[in-house]
Amino acid sequence: MTRYVLRRLGRGLLTIFVSVTLVFFIVRAMPSDPVSLMISPQMSKAAQEQLMHTYGLDQPLLTQYVLYMKELLIGNMGISFAKRIPVTELIASRLPYTLVLLAVVMLIVCAIGIPLGVYAATHKGKLADRIISVLVTVGISIFIPFMAFLLLYIFAFRLKVLPTGGAYTPPMKEGMAFVADVARHIVLPALALAITNFANAVLYTRNSMIDVMHEDYIRTARAKGADEKRVVHKHALNNALIPTVTVIGMQIGIMVGGATVTETVFSWPGIGRLIYDSVNALDYPTLQGTFLVMAVAVVIMSFIVDLVVARLDPRIKLGD
Amino acid sequence: MANVVEFKNYSMGFRDDDGAVSNLLDGISFSIEEGKALGVVGESGCGKSMTSLSLMRLLPDAAVVQGGEILFEGKDVLKLSDKEMQTIRGDRLSMIFQEPMTALNPVITIGSQIGECLVLHHPELSKEEVRSRVIDALDSVGISNPERRLDQYPHEFSGGMRQRVMIAMAIINHPALLIADEPTTALDVTIQAQILDIMKRLKGESGSLLMITHNLGIVAEVCEEVVVMYAGRAIERGTLAAIFDNPMHPYTRGLMASIPTMHSDKGPLPTIPGTVPTVYDFKPGCRFADRCPHCKDICTREAPQYRWVGDDHIVACWLYEGEGDGNA
Ligand SMILES: Nc1ncnc2c1ncn2[C@@H]1O[C@H](COP(=O)(O)OP(=O)(O)OP(=O)(O)O)[C@@H](O)[C@H]1O
Ligand SMILES: [Mg+2]
């Protein structure tokens, strides 16, 4: 087990290193110049150079890279070009919002999606299953921004039951009032973001459940006198969940930064929104920071997925 | 003696995608007395497994029952509710499946898979009692070190071991009837012999046995009565002696002739030419007609009736028309 964790850690670090390096150079290959955005023409030549120097932009590319990596090792992600505060601080202020959003998405996906998939599988071919299958196909193929705007239009503009954006209505409230406020704000972005994953979870659970229900060991369970409920819950579900968990888990990891569109449409102050803002501002350090967080999230999620799958499936040995 | 199980003119078939039903099992009748073992033999695909799954009421989705009765301990299982069926399965009636490699759940420990039979039918047993009875059951099928093996998963067991686990599972509640569907096919010869010993022992202990196999040696060793199946029909049935010493149906004769003995010469073994027809190309008349060396005109037109040809011997073949007292 220790060996497994070490090996896993090494591989994770390598993944993160490669991704950080790639992002560093890709960001700098963007066809515009952050300096021109930061520097106003009124600035004196000396002030301009001072600014360039502060951000290290006067150095050759490779030197910048080495410098960046060195600072990264001691936990310094640099100073945001746009906000002029440390990137770590900026990310720390945004990450909780993304995590809360993902937690809600995960809850919707697992607590509703998986049971719905099981329901569809056990009622295969019946009306309920057919309706679910059609909705799922729509859910998978729907264009997320369209969904986001549709939700906004219905719930925020027409019915006026939910806020249009942000994570809370300023001024920031205290205690439970704040939680309740955030809860109201999170509904729409969580729905928009959950839709594809939800549909995927239903589909995967349904299909793998249907496959599993044809396995010989299901017949064995019936032969022992188990009733349908026990067959489904004790014998089929664990087996059916193995592929579902893998797919959902990896998807969630990617969403740590991948929710850019949804977070932007709903002005949700998370990592995705930060990516959008940083691209607009050509804020290299922040961009790099957000992508680093994304890489770390993916690595962590794949580790968690492995642990969960190993728990579900005794044939998988973590040592190998 | 009372019959544990009795098939009465039972028929079933399969529904295809268009809803048309093709008949497989056609008017199957046989019975097993308490404490006796009946062997069902026949080529691959003749419907042996479907016969036993019909009794367990575990047929695949596409299967449809077309008629007849299957009495188990006096009750027609075809008329029982799902609930009633569940109380019988795994308790009075249990089955060892043909595929030991896939018949165990890969994510549940052996101990709790075997223990489940007890938990389901004897909820009054304590955890410790269940555990100790599972250990006894594993021990009785020759699995060494059962205390440790209990907490292992199927993938940690070899094919032969898994088959023993299946047997332990099937006999733990001492069923009135145990169905063994090719219990030894997947195993090598030494393990086969051990498993057969277990089955023979168990016949004495726990009641009747329905042994499905295409291995006539196994039948001769374990069973008192034999049903020979061909393409969904029970073409001949009788006591072990009747079938082995005096096979009547040309198919049974072919089957007997294809067993190698100490005295057979070294030339090629006689075989029955042709192959078993499948559900979709059964013709009217005797289903063996195409391959039968004695095929007459009537054989291809009309299915033969069952007739008694001895005290304990029934055959369905036009060759014996006029003999015996007909219509068994
Ligand atoms: N779901 C199904 N749909 C249609 N036909 C089926 C289905 N399942 C089985 N059959 C047919 O039923 C026939 C009998 O199958 P069965 O499994 O009872 O044979 P068997 O005598 O047990 O053979 P084996 O010795 O190979 O186990 C086969 O010809 C098979 O093609
Ligand atoms: Mg079979």
Side-chain angles (χ1 to χ4, degrees), chain B residues 249-303:
Chain B
H249 197 285
Y251 174 70
T252 316
R253 288 188 175 162
L255 214 55
M256 293 298 160
S258 60
I259 315 175
T261 64
M262 297 290 279
H263 311 292
S264 46
D265 52 30
K266 288 281 185 288
L269 284 170
T271 53
I272 308 170
T275 52
V276 197
T278 63
V279 192
Y280 304 104
D281 44 40
F282 288 156
K283 298 187 186 76
C286 176
R287 289 178 181 174
F288 187 59
D290 289 352
R291 299 168 73 187
C292 185
H294 309 288
C295 183
K296 296 189 289 188
D297 200 27
I298 188 160
C299 299
T300 57
R301 277 187 282 114
E302 235 180 288

Side-chain angles (χ1 to χ4, degrees), chain A residues 109 135-140 194-204:
Chain A
V109 168
L135 292 181
V136 158
T137 317
V138 173
I140 286 175
I195 235 124
T196 314
N197 278 286
F198 179 80
N200 267 320
V202 174
L203 186 76
Y204 272 89

Side-chain angles (χ1 to χ4, degrees), chain B residues 14 24 43-51 60 62 98 181-182 214 278-280:
Chain B
F14 294 101
L24 172 70
E43 269 167 286
S44 188
C46 69
K48 304 184 295 294
S49 295
M50 291 306 142
T51 305
Q98 199 169 347
D181 191 354
E182 315 251 10
H214 34 220
T278 63
V279 192
Y280 304 104

